[in-house]
Amino acid sequence: MRHHTDRRTVIALSACAAGLLTVSTLTLTGQAQANTPHSTSAAPVWHPLCATPTTTLASCDVLEVDKPHEHVAALGVTAGAAPSGYGPSDLQSAYKLPADGGTGQTVAVIDAYDDPNAEKDLATYRKQYGLPACTTSNGCFKKVNSSGNTSPLPSKASANQGAEDSLDLDLVSAVAPRAKILFVEASKGTLTEMGKAVNQAVALGAKFVSNSYIFKESSSDPSYDKQYYDHPGVAVVAGTGDWNYAWGMGYPSSSPYVTSVGGTSLVRSSGERGWNETVWNSESDKGTGSGCSAYEPKPAWQKDTGCAKRMTADVAAVADPAHGLAVYDSYQKNGWGVFGGTSAATPVIAGVYADAGAPPSGSNPASFPYTHQDALNDVTSGDNGQCSPAYFCTAEKGYDGPTGLGTPNGTAAFHE
């Protein structure tokens, strides 16, 4: 994907959304923005790494924090040694996940172009948090092109794609530390090339596919569903985007064959759970996406009555950069950083599916949460814009657009 950084054209690609990007001319916002989240603490300063997507150009759903409003020490890590931002123990605590999840499973991460430091940076992250090594040599990590081969790899990524890659790989590791990781690098960030990478991931045996990239939906999307995203018995996951309700629907999260992931603001609390979540909405044009598709049919398992077609999201997870996640990237960043966006929520949910075990043959895992609503944390406060009916953009009891049915409360909602 080509992005413009400070109006200069560069070649980008990876999955900047909730895993990949596209090849084209986009505009990165070069200026950091001060944002006021739903918090009483000082506002953090952060900036999006990618521009708003179009129907032909995908974008990433990731935001980098330049100045955190607080140092968030990860649970179970020596004070002063941990980077700022939530780590594996935090996510495991917030979502009641096992510390050894993902055993025997393979999670695929889809991105565009090559990140030459991906394996090395992943090793740094996993060592920091005491996670088991995941390397090519021990068979845990494998990086391939969209033909499934280890060479030749695509052209090197640029314009912040390394940060997207690291975010995806680190958060799969945090949530499913015992899972194998298949990193598929598409040769371009177009929908066709990204879709080919998804198909290759499934062909290589992945039962869980994390897609942190997004296109604005179009009338062509239903034709892409069958070509690239309809994989029975495979949990294909994608984020709803970072541009709030007013921006509209994004693809492939609008596909009825994909689990659509919204974003929350996750903060520690004194309540019984120890955590509280609201809809992530940092400012007028930055927050989780949601809405009613104009083109995709409504799946039988989705029962809301205000939208005659596919509604997003299905579920949600942490995405607010004001309470962001620790990520390590040395390729295009300076090591440890704090990131957010639905590009964070997407690999989290892919990892939770892996923790729950391989989906049954022939199943559509996007339907699983709808039969296990009691195994989710219902998010009932916050909004991501103005809308009618209200649930399209406002959290409420039961289903709503911004957070779907809620966030993980263990793994029961993520198996049949």
Side-chain angles (χ1 to χ4, degrees), residues 57-234:
L57 303 178
S59 186
C60 65
D61 298 335
V62 61
L63 305 106
E64 180 181 14
V65 178
D66 302 296
K67 183 180 178 182
H69 72 288
E70 61 182 344
H71 180 90
V72 180
L75 294 176
V77 178
T78 304
S84 185
Y86 294 139
S89 294
D90 300 287
L91 296 177
Q92 292 160 14
S93 168
Y95 298 131
K96 295 185 179 178
L97 302 174
D100 59 351
T103 301
Q105 308 303 328
T106 297
V107 180
V109 169
I110 311 298
D111 283 294
Y113 293 81
D114 180 42
D115 180 347
N117 292 6
E119 182 174 358
K120 178 172 66 72
D121 289 348
L122 179 63
T124 298
Y125 179 89
R126 294 177 73 105
K127 182 178 180 180
Q128 169 69 48
Y129 292 108
L131 305 180
C134 188
T135 65
T136 300
S137 61
N138 70 10
C140 175
F141 180 83
K142 186 175 184 179
K143 182 170 74 169
V144 300
N145 60 30
S146 52
S147 296
N149 300 315
T150 56
S151 67
L153 292 172
S155 302
K156 291 182 180 179
S158 61
N160 301 312
Q161 291 313 121
E164 170 66 38
D165 298 344
S166 294
L167 175 68
D168 296 336
L169 297 171
D170 289 356
L171 294 188
V172 167
S173 298
V175 174
R178 294 286 178 179
K180 293 182 179 180
I181 297 176
L182 175 64
F183 186 32
V184 186
E185 298 182 328
S187 60
K188 298 178 182 179
T190 61
L191 200 154
T192 298
E193 293 302 317
M194 293 299 185
K196 288 180 180 178
V198 172
N199 288 346
Q200 190 59 56
V202 176
L204 291 174
K207 295 297 184 182
F208 317 93
V209 183
S210 178
N211 300 281
S212 290
Y213 58 93
I214 191 168
F215 297 83
K216 192 170 181 62
E217 76 163 354
S218 78
S219 59
S220 299
D221 293 344
S223 67
Y224 295 130
D225 288 342
K226 288 292 186 179
Q227 292 183 66
Y228 305 123
Y229 298 103
D230 180 12
H231 293 285
V234 177

Side-chain angles (χ1 to χ4, degrees), residues 295-314:
Y295 309 107
E296 295 283 9
K298 196 172 197 69
W301 34 263
Q302 198 169 53
K303 303 299 185 181
D304 64 293
T305 59
C307 172
K309 293 188 179 293
R310 170 70 158 129
M311 187 76 189
T312 65
D314 296 315

Side-chain angles (χ1 to χ4, degrees), residues 35-57:
N35 307 283
T36 306
H38 301 299
S39 170
T40 57
S41 54
V45 176
W46 50 259
H47 65 280
L49 296 187
C50 300
T52 306
T54 70
T55 57
T56 57
L57 303 178

